[in-house]
Amino acid sequence: MTASASSPAAGKGKRRSGVGYLTLRRERDGRLYNHDRHKWIGLAELADDVRAGSRFRVYQERDGSDCTADVLIELVTSALNRFASNVPPP
């Protein structure tokens, strides 16, 4: 979903999100903070943003490591679970 155009800035702990990227911070408890909008964001809202074409990067609060793939897996799993619960049994 995202390109490798952004990465943590060397040595400073700052991140560059690139043009059109949402920059999110994942807290230890799993919550996501949107730095661009200065608010907490849930998976449902992030999924809406992704469906609208937004790109995003997620960094761990504790060490600044990139965890975008982990959050993307959570989004897909959540969507599949919602889809599966709406499919009637054969």
Side-chain angles (χ1 to χ4, degrees), residues 16-29:
R16 294 172 291 169
S17 59
V19 176
Y21 282 80
L22 299 174
T23 303
L24 307 174
R25 179 183 73 222
R26 187 177 200 178
E27 298 294 318
R28 292 172 194 241
D29 61 3

Side-chain angles (χ1 to χ4, degrees), residues 17-55:
S17 59
V19 176
Y21 282 80
L22 299 174
T23 303
L24 307 174
R25 179 183 73 222
R26 187 177 200 178
E27 298 294 318
R28 292 172 194 241
D29 61 3
R31 293 184 305 157
L32 299 172
Y33 184 77
N34 184 328
H35 282 276
D36 303 317
R37 297 178 188 158
H38 304 287
K39 68 174 194 166
W40 296 102
I41 183 171
L43 280 180
E45 187 176 351
L46 180 58
D48 290 342
D49 288 343
V50 170
R51 280 192 286 276
S54 295
R55 294 180 176 200

Side-chain angles (χ1 to χ4, degrees), residues 46-88:
L46 180 58
D48 290 342
D49 288 343
V50 170
R51 280 192 286 276
S54 295
R55 294 180 176 200
F56 67 95
R57 299 299 288 187
V58 185
Y59 298 96
Q60 289 286 354
E61 176 264 336
R62 67 179 168 267
D63 61 7
S65 63
D66 188 324
C67 62
T68 304
D70 297 332
V71 172
L72 187 56
I73 289 169
E74 286 181 41
L75 283 175
V76 171
T77 302
S78 175
L80 288 174
N81 287 339
R82 280 194 314 277
F83 175 76
S85 67
N86 292 327
V87 175

